[in-house]
Amino acid sequence: MSAVGPKTVCLLAAVGLIPLFFKTSVIALGYSGIVHEYIFRVMNKSVPLIAILLMSCYLASHGMEKTLRFIVIAFLGSIWLILCYLPFYFPPVADYKQLYPLIPISPPLDSWKGIVICWSALSGPEYLIFLVPWLKPDRNTLKHLTIANLFTILEDLLLFVATVLYYGQEYLKTAGYPVLNMISYLQSPIFERIEILLISFLMFSVVFVVSLFLLMFYGALQITLGKTLKKTPDSYI
């Protein structure tokens, strides 16, 4: 705190509470909405939301170090899901010209919705396994965060290309959950509804990232209130 002063740090922490709150809300509400839409349609929407928050609070109560170690489970539980979308790169009606221009010259006015979704996906929980070296002080944290963001951007890009090729530009605009709807078209002799399996494994990642943001929110709140905590290996960042 001595480099910029305690008041500046408190101000920055207070400002950081706002994006942390919104990012946590987008992820938690988004996942609970997906669970309600695809698995438990009769159940109240607040039930899966409360369940996610309780599991995240339980994980966060064990401290930052153990929370970061949980990413190994989240990574192994979700990394393979991207392979399910490989068949959608070669549909019979695929028109690769729809991918141009790669960078739109005049984005639509409602693009803020897409920005919020992409923002919630950056530093995605399934690839934040690269944060594990943070537990060793001699490692370059910025380097691993950069790699983590690169992988999440690559994942989002692959999913976006798959949805465009499968649905087309016009129909994609009307699809509510295109990524999940695509999985429901896959045939399996073992599982009748593959999207339920995908959503279930995705829960590991959601619990991890919400618990991580809760720890960061708690740490920023403590700094904002001017309180100091003892620094331990399980302390907040």
Side-chain angles (χ1 to χ4, degrees):
M1 291 187 181
S2 58
V4 295
K7 293 185 178 179
T8 304
V9 173
C10 291
L11 178 61
L12 293 175
V15 174
L17 290 173
I18 300 175
L20 278 175
F21 173 78
F22 280 109
K23 194 166 185 178
T24 305
S25 301
V26 169
I27 295 176
L29 291 174
Y31 182 77
S32 61
I34 290 174
V35 172
H36 178 268
E37 179 72 20
Y38 287 89
I39 303 180
F40 304 112
R41 295 188 177 182
V42 182
M43 183 182 296
N44 191 293
K45 291 183 179 181
S46 60
V47 175
L49 176 61
I50 295 174
I52 290 296
L53 292 177
L54 288 177
M55 289 186 287
S56 300
C57 290
Y58 175 77
L59 180 60
S61 66
H62 288 79
M64 180 63 76
E65 182 177 357
K66 292 184 179 180
T67 300
L68 286 179
R69 295 188 184 279
F70 181 79
I71 190 52
V72 178
I73 299 176
F75 180 80
L76 296 177
S78 59
I79 182 61
W80 58 272
L81 297 178
I82 192 67
L83 300 177
C84 298
Y85 294 91
L86 293 181
F88 298 107
Y89 276 86
F90 311 99
V93 295
D95 184 7
Y96 288 87
K97 294 181 181 180
Q98 297 182 90
L99 300 177
Y100 297 101
L102 298 179
I103 302 178
I105 299 177
S106 56
L109 297 177
D110 59 347
S111 60
W112 66 270
K113 297 179 181 179
I115 294 176
V116 172
I117 295 175
C118 292
W119 179 50
S120 67
L122 289 178
S123 298
E126 66 273 26
Y127 290 117
L128 277 177
I129 190 174
F130 292 100
L131 264 180
V132 173
W134 174 84
L135 299 174
K136 300 179 180 180
D138 58 333
R139 297 297 183 91
N140 190 339
T141 305
L142 180 60
K143 172 184 175 182
H144 294 283
L145 284 175
T146 303
I147 296 175
N149 274 316
L150 177 62
F151 269 85
T152 52
I153 293 174
L154 179 62
E155 181 201 23
D156 291 338
L157 179 61
L158 291 175
L159 293 176
F160 173 74
V161 170
T163 54
V164 172
L165 294 176
Y166 187 75
Y167 290 105
Q169 293 183 4
E170 297 302 324
Y171 186 72
L172 181 60
K173 298 177 182 179
T174 63
Y177 297 99
V179 175
L180 293 175
N181 289 336
M182 289 166 62
I183 291 295
S184 62
Y185 290 102
L186 293 177
Q187 301 295 326
S188 172
I190 303 176
F191 299 101
E192 182 177 356
R193 296 186 60 188
I194 301 180
E195 70 273 13
I196 294 181
L197 180 67
L198 184 150
I199 294 172
S200 300
F201 276 96
L202 188 62
M203 181 182 63
F204 292 108
S205 299
V206 175
V207 169
F208 166 77
V209 76
V210 172
S211 61
L212 181 64
F213 287 153
L214 287 176
L215 280 170
M216 292 181 177
F217 189 91
Y218 174 73
L221 184 61
Q222 290 289 327
I223 295 175
T224 302
L225 297 177
K227 298 181 179 180
T228 57
L229 300 178
K230 295 181 180 179
K231 295 183 178 180
T232 65
D234 290 340
S235 299
Y236 56 83
I237 293 181

